[in-house]
Amino acid sequence: MAKKRKPSSIKDAGDPKTFDLNFKGPVAKRSCTDVLCCIIFILCIIGYIILGLLAWVHGDPRRVAYPTDSKGHFCGQKGTPNENKTILFYFNLFSCTSPSVVINLQCPTTQICVSKCPEKFLTYMEIQFTYRTNKNYWTYYSQFCKSTFVKPAKTLTQVLLDDDCPIAIFPSKPFLQRCFPDFSTKNGTLTVGNKTTFEDGSGKTRNAIELRAAANRVNKILDARTIGMKIFEDYATTWYWILLGLIIAMLLSWMFVILLRYIAGLLFWVFMVGVIGIIGYGIGHCYQEYCNLQGQPNSHLTVYDIGIQTDISMYFQLKQTWFTFMVILCLLEVFIILMLIFLRERIRISIALLKEGSKAIGYIPTTLVYPLLTFIFLSICISYWAVIAVYLATSGVPVYKVITPEGQCKHENTTCDPEIFNTTEIAKACPGAQCNFAFYGGKSLYHQYIPTFQIFNLFVFLWLINFVIALGQCALAGAFASYYWALKKPDDIPPYPLFTAFGRAIRYHTGSLAFGSLILASIQIFRIVLEYLDRHLKEAQNNISKFLQCCLKCCFWCLETVVKFLNRNAYIMIAIYGKNFCKSAREAFNLLMRNVLKVAVMDNVTDFVLILGKILVTGCIGVLAFLLFTQRLPTIIEGPTSLNYYWVPLLTVIIGSYLVAHGFFSVYAMCVDTIFICFCEDLERNDGSTEKPYFLAPTLHGTLNKMQLVSQKQKE
């Protein structure tokens, strides 16, 4: 038996030679840590609130909700002359060479607000001839002019110069509150309003293909609208099935967490067999679909051949798609089997650690509810960031710029005043030029720093997101540490351990949590800047610069991963000892380095087991959802029968199930990590004698003895 040590005062934890021998769990008497960082964090939050108020005063989200005409007036805004005119109409859509120009309201043609889109073909010249016999045509046509005219007295040339009316209208339908051509296909021929050719008002005969070419991507947007409506219909049909799937995922995760306490070993092999079986089913299904496509027309095409399609179901009609899925699943299957073979001895330790974690969660069941609180905090942060971003983006006054149809004017893209534009030299120097609304901006100090405010908004958002996650990790670590350091479980566990740990983290360690979150947010903002530069400078890069940028991305990703790992363990030490971030991070790192063998044996293998649990929950729900949405369970239960895309609710259920499982198992992972840190501390502080007994469970200690993870001196 080891020699008895004399009691000593509290000294630095982490040094194996100096310990508080009377240590009985998380330190109760604490002081505020990293006060300077706490002050900076609070000031940033205050600044963030002030920025939100400024953005709220200057911004106007109606500029996103309502389209804007050439004069900068909103379409459909209440209390204005355009209140009943909710749709934007383009005088000459042939001038719009790109759909992105159309949606950004910078098409080089006059844009006005109308109450409805044109429903027939008419030209200004036709109206002049028919006006004498039937004035109803002019009444209909005049609603698409800038101002009301008693009769079409102006010549076509004068109308083009003054830009008072469109020279032609054709059938259109509203989409995104804008009038777009009413394209359709008749007997394989593209038509507009059931016509293949029509007059454009200038004496030329146009066809639907030319109009389609003038707005080629508009049709893709219309296709996207159709897909969007179909997806909405699928959600409306299957929302209760999706909700039921998420509830089953929650119950299944909860059941696994409870069963891990009693039959962790058996449940682990259930995980293994279940995951291997689900992946095997996926491989078999992919192979079956691949074989079914043999001989089908166009199934031999590749993804590169068909390009980017808005109809995702087209990809599932290719053999290449199912072959790729099959290869990926086969590689995953082989990887899991190899991991089981090489980690079979270490898995025994992970099972013992999982049993101990299950006991801790069983004694502190409120920890399973904490992910809901984290979700609420994260939702608030995301919503606030999104609202500020929208208000900042819509801050400013209307800015008008000179736009010419041909784009060959030296004054192109210069600012102008629409009220006096026709009397300026620009209008004379550039025939056909127009002074149209371009965007919202300004020259004040506030408007000049809007890009800076957007960066600040993003940075503080990342800081808050990481702080919320850090707060959850520290609170859970404090609760599970209280469990571990209770000698007689559950009698010695303090009341309300999670609430107490959460209060300690907020009251004393806001600065330390903010410090760790600041480091992580700084790395993430650098990664975002690198990604931004890569996208905007891609064409100007050579091979060397691309290689260096890839290296930088890889380095920052590795750095972020390492910092997350160190922060996680630092928060555990903060929850136990109440020291500042730097000391806690150093002590956690030193402790892990002194127990690097245990880290290699226990920590990673336990994470692997928990990942398999997430895959099993997600896979079970995913397979059931697949069988339900593809009508393969008609004899057991009748699912939805009129789905447009079965993969829409299927992916929703799979992703939602994974997030639900991740929420439960993340608590489990934090519990295991905390117990592991406490276990390492316990082995260094105590020797198992009567005076200094181990706090870890005897079953776990016995397993570690068999695996020779406890030193001979500690076993004496």
Side-chain angles (χ1 to χ4, degrees):
M1 184 177 296
K3 296 181 180 179
K4 298 181 180 180
R5 302 178 186 174
K6 295 181 180 180
S8 62
S9 59
I10 297 178
K11 295 183 181 180
D12 289 341
D15 183 355
K17 297 181 180 179
T18 56
F19 288 120
D20 174 18
L21 301 181
N22 297 318
F23 181 78
K24 297 296 182 181
V27 176
K29 294 183 179 180
R30 301 175 180 233
S31 59
C32 295
T33 56
D34 295 305
V35 178
L36 179 60
C37 193
C38 180
I39 295 173
I40 296 174
F41 182 62
I42 293 174
L43 290 177
C44 279
I45 293 178
I46 294 173
Y48 201 31
I49 295 173
I50 294 174
L51 176 61
L53 294 175
L54 286 174
W56 181 76
V57 170
H58 291 88
D60 191 350
R62 293 176 301 176
R63 296 165 184 171
V64 176
Y66 300 105
T68 311
D69 64 12
S70 297
K71 302 299 181 183
H73 302 143
F74 297 129
C75 297
Q77 182 182 356
K78 294 183 179 179
T80 66
N82 292 332
E83 181 176 359
N84 296 322
K85 300 178 179 179
T86 60
I87 308 171
L88 193 68
F89 172 74
Y90 300 90
F91 271 23
N92 185 8
L93 198 60
F94 285 102
S95 300
C96 306
T97 58
S98 168
S100 62
V101 172
V102 175
I103 295 177
N104 290 326
L105 307 177
Q106 295 182 24
C107 180
T109 187
T110 301
Q111 305 150 30
I112 64 171
C113 299
V114 296
S115 57
K116 62 179 181 179
C117 295
E119 298 174 348
K120 61 182 70 174
F121 289 100
L122 284 174
T123 65
Y124 185 79
M125 295 178 66
E126 290 176 350
I127 293 298
Q128 285 186 312
F129 287 115
T130 58
Y131 175 74
R132 298 172 185 175
T133 58
N134 191 344
K135 296 182 179 180
N136 291 331
Y137 283 101
W138 171 247
T139 302
Y140 178 81
Y141 195 89
S142 62
Q143 64 181 320
F144 303 107
C145 296
K146 287 197 296 187
S147 55
T148 304
F149 298 96
V150 178
K151 59 181 180 179
K154 291 185 178 182
T155 64
L156 179 62
T157 304
Q158 192 64 36
V159 168
L160 289 173
L161 290 175
D162 296 341
D163 208 29
D164 289 327
C165 294
I167 60 175
I169 60 175
F170 42 81
S172 305
K173 287 186 177 180
F175 173 55
L176 298 176
Q177 294 182 282
R178 293 160 176 83
C179 290
F180 286 143
D182 184 13
F183 289 114
S184 61
T185 302
K186 186 177 182 181
N187 296 326
T189 304
L190 184 68
T191 63
V192 177
N194 294 323
K195 285 188 177 183
T196 57
T197 59
F198 54 90
E199 298 290 332
D200 67 352
S202 62
K204 296 180 180 180
T205 300
R206 303 272 192 166
N207 56 44
I209 297 177
E210 290 182 90
L211 184 59
R212 177 77 170 264
N216 53 355
R217 295 185 186 175
V218 174
N219 189 64
K220 290 188 177 181
I221 297 175
L222 294 174
D223 290 341
R225 174 193 62 175
T226 304
I227 292 177
M229 291 299 297
K230 290 181 179 179
I231 289 175
F232 179 79
E233 292 173 359
D234 289 341
Y235 277 128
T237 305
T238 61
W239 67 268
Y240 50 90
W241 291 108
I242 295 174
L243 183 61
L244 179 62
L246 297 181
I247 293 175
I248 295 175
M250 181 186 68
L251 296 176
L252 194 60
S253 301
W254 200 309
M255 182 186 71
F256 282 157
V257 169
I258 295 174
L259 291 178
L260 278 172
R261 180 179 179 182
Y262 302 102
I263 52 172
L266 176 62
L267 202 59
F268 169 77
W269 292 111
V270 171
F271 282 179
M272 298 299 102
V273 175
V275 170
I276 293 174
I278 289 172
I279 296 176
Y281 174 81
I283 294 172
H285 177 73
C286 292
Y287 179 75
Q288 182 181 4
E289 292 290 340
Y290 179 83
C291 293
N292 292 338
L293 289 174
Q294 293 284 358
Q296 295 292 331
N298 299 326
S299 63
H300 64 281
L301 297 177
T302 64
V303 175
Y304 178 79
D305 293 330
I306 67 173
I308 299 176
Q309 299 291 330
T310 52
D311 188 359
I312 300 179
S313 61
M314 293 184 64
Y315 295 109
F316 295 108
Q317 299 173 11
L318 305 178
K319 292 193 297 182
Q320 184 192 54
T321 302
W322 293 107
F323 182 77
T324 303
F325 286 160
M326 184 171 61
V327 171
I328 293 174
L329 291 177
C330 287
L331 293 176
L332 183 61
E333 187 92 320
V334 172
F335 172 77
I336 292 176
I337 293 174
L338 290 177
M339 289 288 287
L340 290 176
I341 295 174
F342 290 107
L343 299 178
R344 60 186 183 278
E345 294 296 333
R346 301 181 182 182
I347 288 173
R348 294 174 54 196
I349 305 174
S350 297
I351 291 174
L353 199 58
L354 288 172
K355 287 182 178 179
E356 191 68 16
S358 298
K359 292 180 182 178
I361 294 175
Y363 289 133
I364 315 175
T366 53
T367 53
L368 291 177
V369 185
Y370 191 86
L372 179 61
L373 183 62
T374 300
F375 174 78
I376 294 173
F377 286 157
L378 292 178
S379 300
I380 293 173
C381 293
I382 294 172
S383 301
Y384 189 77
W385 166 77
V387 169
I388 289 183
V390 170
Y391 271 89
L392 285 175
T394 57
S395 296
V397 295
V399 175
Y400 303 88
K401 295 206 171 185
V402 177
I403 298 177
T404 56
E406 301 298 330
Q408 297 178 352
C409 176
K410 64 179 181 180
H411 300 289
E412 175 79 16
N413 212 34
T414 59
T415 57
C416 57
D417 186 349
E419 301 296 332
I420 61 173
F421 178 73
N422 290 332
T423 62
T424 62
E425 294 296 327
I426 299 177
K428 299 177 182 178
C430 304
Q434 300 174 15
C435 183
N436 284 359
F437 167 79
F439 55 87
Y440 292 97
K443 296 183 179 180
S444 66
L445 185 64
Y446 170 80
H447 295 107
Q448 292 176 3
Y449 281 94
I450 283 180
T452 304
F453 293 151
Q454 288 283 24
I455 295 174
F456 178 77
N457 179 31
L458 177 62
F459 178 74
V460 180
F461 164 71
L462 294 175
W463 196 356
L464 287 174
I465 289 293
N466 288 296
F467 177 82
V468 169
I469 295 173
L471 178 61
Q473 291 175 346
C474 190
L476 291 172
F480 293 130
S482 299
Y483 159 82
Y484 184 92
W485 294 106
L487 188 59
K488 296 181 180 179
K489 301 175 179 63
D491 298 336
D492 291 345
I493 299 176
Y496 311 111
L498 181 60
F499 179 79
T500 304
F502 181 83
R504 279 199 304 258
I506 289 289
R507 180 178 179 183
Y508 297 110
H509 308 303
T510 297
S512 298
L513 301 180
F515 192 5
S517 305
L518 176 62
I519 297 173
L520 198 54
S522 301
I523 297 172
Q524 290 170 345
I525 201 73
F526 273 115
R527 291 189 64 192
I528 293 174
V529 170
L530 283 175
E531 191 66 31
Y532 175 83
L533 293 176
D534 181 44
R535 291 190 177 185
H536 286 75
L537 301 176
K538 186 171 292 185
E539 296 182 357
Q541 292 177 349
N542 54 34
N543 293 332
I544 297 177
S545 61
K546 289 181 179 180
F547 173 75
L548 292 176
Q549 198 154 35
C550 288
C551 291
L552 284 175
K553 288 182 181 180
C554 182
C555 290
F556 273 101
W557 177 83
C558 294
L559 180 61
E560 182 180 354
T561 304
V562 171
V563 169
K564 283 183 178 180
F565 175 77
L566 293 177
N567 281 8
R568 186 182 183 91
N569 290 284
Y571 299 147
I572 296 175
M573 300 298 283
I574 290 172
I576 297 174
Y577 297 107
K579 296 184 178 181
N580 62 40
F581 177 80
C582 290
K583 287 185 177 179
S584 299
R586 183 192 65 196
E587 292 168 1
F589 179 78
N590 292 335
L591 181 64
L592 293 175
M593 288 300 100
R594 292 196 303 271
N595 297 272
V596 65
L597 177 62
K598 301 181 184 67
V599 174
V601 170
M602 299 173 63
D603 196 45
N604 294 331
V605 179
T606 305
D607 289 340
F608 172 69
V609 173
L610 294 178
I611 290 174
L612 289 179
K614 298 176 190 178
I615 294 176
L616 179 60
V617 172
T618 306
C620 289
I621 303 301
V623 169
L624 290 176
F626 173 76
L627 296 176
L628 179 68
F629 295 139
T630 56
Q631 295 295 304
R632 305 194 182 195
L633 293 175
T635 57
I636 302 176
I637 185 172
E638 184 177 358
T641 58
S642 59
L643 293 179
N644 298 296
Y645 307 111
Y646 73 86
W647 51 264
V648 172
L650 176 62
L651 288 180
T652 304
V653 169
I654 290 175
I655 295 173
S657 300
Y658 179 81
L659 293 177
V660 170
H662 178 73
F664 278 89
F665 285 100
S666 63
V667 174
Y668 217 111
M670 197 66 209
C671 176
V672 170
D673 287 347
T674 303
I675 291 176
F676 176 68
I677 289 288
C678 294
F679 158 70
C680 294
E681 283 281 292
D682 192 11
L683 292 184
E684 292 188 349
R685 289 178 176 278
N686 305 301
D687 54 14
S689 62
T690 305
E691 295 81 5
K692 293 180 293 181
Y694 289 126
F695 284 82
L696 80 163
T699 54
L700 179 59
H701 186 262
T703 303
L704 296 177
N705 276 337
K706 294 179 182 178
M707 298 298 298
Q708 297 181 355
L709 290 180
V710 181
S711 64
Q712 294 298 324
K713 182 177 179 181
Q714 289 171 325
K715 290 190 292 183
E716 290 177 355

